[in-house]
Amino acid sequence: MSDYNFAYLDEQTKRMIRRAILKGLAIPGYQVPFASREMPMPYGWGTGGVQVSAAVMTPDDRFKVIDQGADDTTNAVSIRTFFERTAGVATTTKTSQASVIQTRHRIPEEPLSEGQILVYQVPIPEPLRFLEPRESETRKMHSLEEYGLMHVKLYEDISRHGHIATSYAYPVKVEGRYVMDPSPIPKFDNPKLGDMAAIQLFGAGREQRIYALPPYTQVVSLDFEDHPFEASKPDHPCAMCGAENSYLDEVITNDAGGRMFVCSDTDFCEARQAAGHTGTMNGKDAA
Amino acid sequence: MQAQTLSGGFADTATASAVAFRQVMEAMARPGTIHMVTGAAPPAPLSPATGVVLLTLCDPDTPVHLSGALDCDAVRTWIAFHTGAPVVGPSHCVFAVGGWDDLTPLSAYQIGTPQYPDRSATLIVQVDQLEPNGAILSGPGIKDTHSLSLPETRAFQLNAGHFPFGLDFIFTCGDRVAALPRTTVVMHKGAV
Ligand SMILES: [Zn+2]
């Protein structure tokens, strides 16, 4: 561990990131620029989230990493190992026991509590980017609250598909002011963003942006009076634990095209199974 | 150089500043909550908590303004030695440090630009008392309401009225910190 600085980054970099986090918390949903550092992993691996985690972590933390809801992907394992080595922190897969959770594209099913921090890996922090490629213009649009184009885009969805087809990275408005990209979480997770007891921090490494949601912040998914926002998910119970209200992944079960729906949050699903809950593919109900 | 200048920094910079930052971050994320910080022993009239905040957040990239009795040789040399932060006037500072009366008027500080509202000063206000009573706070970070002994209310109401522009405040007293970002709605006790 002595080969590294605590949590890898040098002190001056951590101070810079920490100052950006404080301004992010003071202006919820606004993207604070920061000078992203090279990390010993490729950009696609959540270097923005890793830098934010490094800046908030203390030796007493218990760290969890989820990748699309799972703790055991290559990406999740290497980030967890990185902080075990460089910060000497304890790690866990249990949501309730983690004090810092870094996530790629999901919010845990189990409600988070005060004292916990959720750190999101963000690929594209600018919700207006696909409408306007120039940063100088999107900055101007945010400063003038010029969000009409965003609504036009969503409404085009409705006229084309009969509903809003955007199902990931569904834009939200924070405290009635800034429109924010919640990172590519499924829109099923959007209602958990608001009024959360935990602190939510968002880090985009390649794009060099940090933004934040303090606890108990008002977060509203953009929608229309005649087409209200719906936090949809596949209409099945989990095949392993029987949960009716968790986000599900479709899993191919055999070469004959068999498939089933299971919880994307593996810790949630395993805890339910351990508590005796079963689904159609598991336990006594299995065919 | 006096011994007082060389001493009083963090014993283990990386760990001490990580632990201190978490307290300051909790304070900013949950306005009005009071948190204890340790590890700094700055020269008077800086309080230990003010010293911790300076060591945790300041460096050569963050010009600091010192106001009132805090603008003295002992403080200047301690900050220069431990943080490297240049001391500047209020209009150019990233952090300002002082007692409440010495820090006003608030119009002296940068409140950010339309496209970069984060480019605004943070005021580190050393207060004589920091208690969970007095003004009623609500807004992001606060479930219902919090109470905090603020030096006044009107200035914070005006500051919040500029959102998304504005100043952010860190209050220090002895070994304790609390914070008030620009988003917090401040009301007089009894005005609810
Ligand atoms: Zn399940």
Side-chain angles (χ1 to χ4, degrees), chain A residues 92-218:
Chain A
T92 182
T93 59
K94 300 220 178 323
T95 298
S96 59
Q97 290 176 12
S99 52
V100 179
I101 302 172
Q102 184 171 325
T103 180
R104 176 172 173 271
H105 307 180
R106 273 312 310 277
I107 297 176
E109 302 290 353
E110 190 177 342
L112 301 184
S113 54
E114 293 191 2
Q116 288 184 302
I117 300 168
L118 186 58
V119 178
Y120 295 77
Q121 302 174 198
V122 181
I124 302 168
E126 178 49 73
L128 305 170
R129 184 61 70 231
F130 65 97
L131 299 167
E132 170 55 63
R134 288 166 298 178
E135 172 72 11
S136 58
E137 289 303 307
T138 53
R139 288 248 150 215
K140 208 175 289 172
M141 290 160 78
H142 281 293
S143 73
L144 298 169
E145 294 186 73
E146 215 177 271
Y147 296 130
L149 275 177
M150 195 77 179
H151 278 94
V152 169
K153 193 274 172 190
L154 291 173
Y155 213 87
E156 279 171 1
D157 262 17
I158 296 172
S159 43
R160 199 172 307 146
H161 308 282
H163 63 275
I164 297 174
T166 305
S167 53
Y168 294 90
Y170 190 103
V172 296
K173 196 171 215 183
V174 180
E175 290 283 331
R177 182 55 182 82
Y178 284 100
V179 167
M180 184 191 101
D181 184 318
S183 86
I185 57 172
K187 68 176 179 181
F188 173 81
D189 282 342
N190 272 29
K192 301 177 201 161
L193 292 160
D195 267 330
M196 187 188 280
I199 295 171
Q200 298 174 82
L201 304 174
F202 300 77
R206 194 183 48 227
E207 304 270 335
Q208 314 206 77
R209 296 288 179 272
I210 286 170
Y211 49 105
L213 295 172
Y216 312 115
T217 292
Q218 187 206 66

Side-chain angles (χ1 to χ4, degrees), chain A residues 5-6 11-12 14-16 18-19 21-23 25-28 30-33 55-59 61 99-100 113-117 135-136 139-140 143 175 177-178 197-199 201 214-217, chain B residues 13-15 17-19 21-22 24-26 28-30 54-62 83 94-95 114-122 139-143 163-164 166-168 170 181-183:
Chain A
N5 241 312
F6 174 73
E11 288 307 300
Q12 191 159 359
K14 279 186 278 187
R15 273 193 300 272
M16 179 261 301
R18 287 166 180 163
R19 293 191 297 262
I21 289 171
L22 293 184
K23 288 299 176 192
L25 287 165
I27 316 168
Y30 163 78
Q31 300 162 52
V32 184
V56 302
M57 202 171 284
T58 74
D61 274 312
S99 52
V100 179
S113 54
E114 293 191 2
Q116 288 184 302
I117 300 168
E135 172 72 11
S136 58
R139 288 248 150 215
K140 208 175 289 172
S143 73
E175 290 283 331
R177 182 55 182 82
Y178 284 100
I199 295 171
L201 304 174
Y216 312 115
T217 292
Chain B
T13 302
T15 310
S17 54
V19 171
F21 175 70
R22 274 289 274 282
V24 174
M25 182 177 80
E26 285 288 333
M28 192 62 82
R30 305 174 195 279
L54 291 170
L55 294 178
T56 303
L57 298 176
C58 296
D59 59 29
D61 293 335
T62 61
T83 75
V94 170
F95 292 96
Q115 295 177 35
Y116 296 95
D118 58 301
R119 294 180 183 171
S120 57
T122 301
I142 302 169
K143 192 174 186 187
F163 188 86
L167 306 171
D168 307 304
I170 297 172
R182 65 195 76 178
T183 48

Side-chain angles (χ1 to χ4, degrees), chain A residues 233 236-246 248 261-263 268-270 272-273 276-283 285:
Chain A
K233 69 165 192 92
H236 302 271
C238 170
M240 297 302 289
C241 78
E244 304 265 4
N245 49 11
S246 64
L248 304 171
F261 287 95
V262 296
C263 293
F268 177 78
C269 196
E270 281 162 17
R272 278 181 54 84
Q273 293 175 52
H277 297 281
T278 57
T280 51
M281 296 294 286
N282 184 17
D285 290 344

